[in-house]
PDB file of all heavy atoms in Angstrom:
ATOM      1  N   ASN A 436      81.900 -63.721  35.066  1.00  0.00           N
ATOM      2  CA  ASN A 436      82.733 -64.519  34.218  1.00  0.00           C
ATOM      3  C   ASN A 436      83.239 -65.878  34.913  1.00  0.00           C
ATOM      4  O   ASN A 436      83.495 -66.866  34.197  1.00  0.00           O
ATOM      5  CB  ASN A 436      83.838 -63.721  33.584  1.00  0.00           C
ATOM      6  CG  ASN A 436      83.502 -62.936  32.340  1.00  0.00           C
ATOM      7  OD1 ASN A 436      82.462 -63.279  31.715  1.00  0.00           O
ATOM      8  ND2 ASN A 436      84.048 -61.782  32.107  1.00  0.00           N
ATOM      9  N   GLY A 437      83.654 -65.688  36.135  1.00  0.00           N
ATOM     10  CA  GLY A 437      84.275 -66.901  36.764  1.00  0.00           C
ATOM     11  C   GLY A 437      83.251 -67.994  37.165  1.00  0.00           C
ATOM     12  O   GLY A 437      83.391 -69.144  36.750  1.00  0.00           O
ATOM     13  N   LEU A 438      82.323 -67.628  37.888  1.00  0.00           N
ATOM     14  CA  LEU A 438      81.349 -68.566  38.403  1.00  0.00           C
ATOM     15  C   LEU A 438      80.098 -68.777  37.471  1.00  0.00           C
ATOM     16  O   LEU A 438      79.407 -69.698  37.579  1.00  0.00           O
ATOM     17  CB  LEU A 438      80.811 -68.176  39.772  1.00  0.00           C
ATOM     18  CG  LEU A 438      81.910 -68.104  40.919  1.00  0.00           C
ATOM     19  CD1 LEU A 438      81.373 -67.673  42.167  1.00  0.00           C
ATOM     20  CD2 LEU A 438      82.586 -69.527  41.022  1.00  0.00           C
ATOM     21  N   GLY A 439      79.966 -67.861  36.528  1.00  0.00           N
ATOM     22  CA  GLY A 439      78.853 -67.920  35.639  1.00  0.00           C
ATOM     23  C   GLY A 439      77.620 -67.256  36.211  1.00  0.00           C
ATOM     24  O   GLY A 439      77.398 -67.147  37.282  1.00  0.00           O
ATOM     25  N   GLY A 440      76.758 -66.787  35.295  1.00  0.00           N
ATOM     26  CA  GLY A 440      75.518 -66.130  35.743  1.00  0.00           C
ATOM     27  C   GLY A 440      75.361 -64.709  35.203  1.00  0.00           C
ATOM     28  O   GLY A 440      76.303 -63.951  35.135  1.00  0.00           O
ATOM     29  N   ARG A 441      74.110 -64.419  34.729  1.00  0.00           N
ATOM     30  CA  ARG A 441      73.837 -63.100  34.203  1.00  0.00           C
ATOM     31  C   ARG A 441      72.690 -62.602  34.953  1.00  0.00           C
ATOM     32  O   ARG A 441      71.690 -63.212  35.280  1.00  0.00           O
ATOM     33  CB  ARG A 441      73.413 -63.182  32.657  1.00  0.00           C
ATOM     34  CG  ARG A 441      73.330 -61.820  31.944  1.00  0.00           C
ATOM     35  CD  ARG A 441      72.900 -62.075  30.523  1.00  0.00           C
ATOM     36  NE  ARG A 441      73.919 -62.737  29.758  1.00  0.00           N
ATOM     37  CZ  ARG A 441      75.000 -62.143  29.177  1.00  0.00           C
ATOM     38  NH1 ARG A 441      75.096 -60.776  29.346  1.00  0.00           N
ATOM     39  NH2 ARG A 441      75.880 -62.738  28.539  1.00  0.00           N
ATOM     40  N   LYS A 442      72.695 -61.225  35.263  1.00  0.00           N
ATOM     41  CA  LYS A 442      71.659 -60.569  36.030  1.00  0.00           C
ATOM     42  C   LYS A 442      71.282 -59.232  35.338  1.00  0.00           C
ATOM     43  O   LYS A 442      71.921 -58.763  34.489  1.00  0.00           O
ATOM     44  CB  LYS A 442      72.219 -60.211  37.487  1.00  0.00           C
ATOM     45  CG  LYS A 442      72.818 -61.525  38.230  1.00  0.00           C
ATOM     46  CD  LYS A 442      71.628 -62.514  38.608  1.00  0.00           C
ATOM     47  CE  LYS A 442      72.103 -63.531  39.513  1.00  0.00           C
ATOM     48  NZ  LYS A 442      72.922 -64.566  38.783  1.00  0.00           N
ATOM     49  N   THR A 443      70.171 -58.598  35.834  1.00  0.00           N
ATOM     50  CA  THR A 443      69.691 -57.286  35.620  1.00  0.00           C
ATOM     51  C   THR A 443      69.075 -57.241  34.286  1.00  0.00           C
ATOM     52  O   THR A 443      67.941 -56.724  34.159  1.00  0.00           O
ATOM     53  CB  THR A 443      70.865 -56.220  35.583  1.00  0.00           C
ATOM     54  OG1 THR A 443      71.622 -56.352  36.811  1.00  0.00           O
ATOM     55  CG2 THR A 443      70.336 -54.796  35.368  1.00  0.00           C
ATOM     56  N   ALA A 444      69.671 -57.765  33.176  1.00  0.00           N
ATOM     57  CA  ALA A 444      69.078 -57.664  31.870  1.00  0.00           C
ATOM     58  C   ALA A 444      69.717 -58.664  30.972  1.00  0.00           C
ATOM     59  O   ALA A 444      70.784 -59.163  31.134  1.00  0.00           O
ATOM     60  CB  ALA A 444      69.126 -56.291  31.274  1.00  0.00           C
ATOM     61  N   ALA A 445      69.082 -59.132  29.927  1.00  0.00           N
ATOM     62  CA  ALA A 445      69.581 -59.990  28.850  1.00  0.00           C
ATOM     63  C   ALA A 445      70.632 -59.151  28.058  1.00  0.00           C
ATOM     64  O   ALA A 445      70.727 -57.957  28.219  1.00  0.00           O
ATOM     65  CB  ALA A 445      68.474 -60.507  27.966  1.00  0.00           C
ATOM     66  N   THR A 446      71.367 -59.822  27.272  1.00  0.00           N
ATOM     67  CA  THR A 446      72.347 -59.214  26.480  1.00  0.00           C
ATOM     68  C   THR A 446      71.790 -58.063  25.597  1.00  0.00           C
ATOM     69  O   THR A 446      72.323 -56.892  25.547  1.00  0.00           O
ATOM     70  CB  THR A 446      73.165 -60.212  25.608  1.00  0.00           C
ATOM     71  OG1 THR A 446      73.681 -61.167  26.321  1.00  0.00           O
ATOM     72  CG2 THR A 446      74.191 -59.534  24.738  1.00  0.00           C
ATOM     73  N   ALA A 447      70.702 -58.406  24.898  1.00  0.00           N
ATOM     74  CA  ALA A 447      70.069 -57.353  23.967  1.00  0.00           C
ATOM     75  C   ALA A 447      68.761 -57.813  23.601  1.00  0.00           C
ATOM     76  O   ALA A 447      68.366 -59.025  23.660  1.00  0.00           O
ATOM     77  CB  ALA A 447      71.036 -57.136  22.783  1.00  0.00           C
ATOM     78  N   GLU A 448      67.939 -56.788  23.160  1.00  0.00           N
ATOM     79  CA  GLU A 448      66.618 -57.130  22.407  1.00  0.00           C
ATOM     80  C   GLU A 448      66.871 -57.263  20.960  1.00  0.00           C
ATOM     81  O   GLU A 448      67.764 -56.499  20.369  1.00  0.00           O
ATOM     82  CB  GLU A 448      65.616 -56.096  22.711  1.00  0.00           C
ATOM     83  CG  GLU A 448      65.071 -55.948  24.109  1.00  0.00           C
ATOM     84  CD  GLU A 448      63.892 -55.015  24.153  1.00  0.00           C
ATOM     85  OE1 GLU A 448      63.982 -53.937  23.529  1.00  0.00           O
ATOM     86  OE2 GLU A 448      63.064 -55.225  24.896  1.00  0.00           O
ATOM     87  N   THR A 449      66.249 -58.231  20.278  1.00  0.00           N
ATOM     88  CA  THR A 449      66.404 -58.330  18.888  1.00  0.00           C
ATOM     89  C   THR A 449      65.055 -58.575  18.104  1.00  0.00           C
ATOM     90  O   THR A 449      64.174 -59.091  18.721  1.00  0.00           O
ATOM     91  CB  THR A 449      67.440 -59.489  18.581  1.00  0.00           C
ATOM     92  OG1 THR A 449      66.827 -60.703  19.015  1.00  0.00           O
ATOM     93  CG2 THR A 449      68.774 -59.251  19.191  1.00  0.00           C
ATOM     94  N   THR A 450      65.108 -58.283  16.838  1.00  0.00           N
ATOM     95  CA  THR A 450      64.036 -58.806  15.986  1.00  0.00           C
ATOM     96  C   THR A 450      64.772 -59.415  14.751  1.00  0.00           C
ATOM     97  O   THR A 450      65.895 -58.953  14.409  1.00  0.00           O
ATOM     98  CB  THR A 450      63.058 -57.714  15.445  1.00  0.00           C
ATOM     99  OG1 THR A 450      63.649 -56.739  14.723  1.00  0.00           O
ATOM    100  CG2 THR A 450      62.345 -57.125  16.647  1.00  0.00           C
ATOM    101  N   GLN A 451      64.207 -60.484  14.199  1.00  0.00           N
ATOM    102  CA  GLN A 451      64.773 -61.022  12.953  1.00  0.00           C
ATOM    103  C   GLN A 451      63.622 -61.449  12.023  1.00  0.00           C
ATOM    104  O   GLN A 451      62.559 -61.962  12.498  1.00  0.00           O
ATOM    105  CB  GLN A 451      65.589 -62.322  13.333  1.00  0.00           C
ATOM    106  CG  GLN A 451      66.700 -61.962  14.310  1.00  0.00           C
ATOM    107  CD  GLN A 451      67.571 -63.206  14.682  1.00  0.00           C
ATOM    108  OE1 GLN A 451      68.259 -63.683  13.849  1.00  0.00           O
ATOM    109  NE2 GLN A 451      67.326 -63.723  15.796  1.00  0.00           N
ATOM    110  N   SER A 452      63.844 -61.296  10.769  1.00  0.00           N
ATOM    111  CA  SER A 452      62.791 -61.675   9.762  1.00  0.00           C
ATOM    112  C   SER A 452      63.365 -62.316   8.566  1.00  0.00           C
ATOM    113  O   SER A 452      63.479 -61.683   7.506  1.00  0.00           O
ATOM    114  CB  SER A 452      62.004 -60.434   9.378  1.00  0.00           C
ATOM    115  OG  SER A 452      62.823 -59.401   8.872  1.00  0.00           O
ATOM    116  N   PRO A 453      63.933 -63.607   8.641  1.00  0.00           N
ATOM    117  CA  PRO A 453      64.424 -64.280   7.524  1.00  0.00           C
ATOM    118  C   PRO A 453      63.297 -64.801   6.741  1.00  0.00           C
ATOM    119  O   PRO A 453      62.455 -65.525   7.198  1.00  0.00           O
ATOM    120  CB  PRO A 453      65.319 -65.407   8.147  1.00  0.00           C
ATOM    121  CG  PRO A 453      64.661 -65.607   9.446  1.00  0.00           C
ATOM    122  CD  PRO A 453      64.115 -64.319   9.956  1.00  0.00           C
TER     123      PRO A 453
END
Side-chain angles (χ1 to χ4, degrees):
N436 278 331
L438 298 177
R441 187 181 297 275
K442 305 291 186 290
T443 308
T446 303
E448 290 189 323
T449 63
T450 66
Q451 302 180 74
S452 56

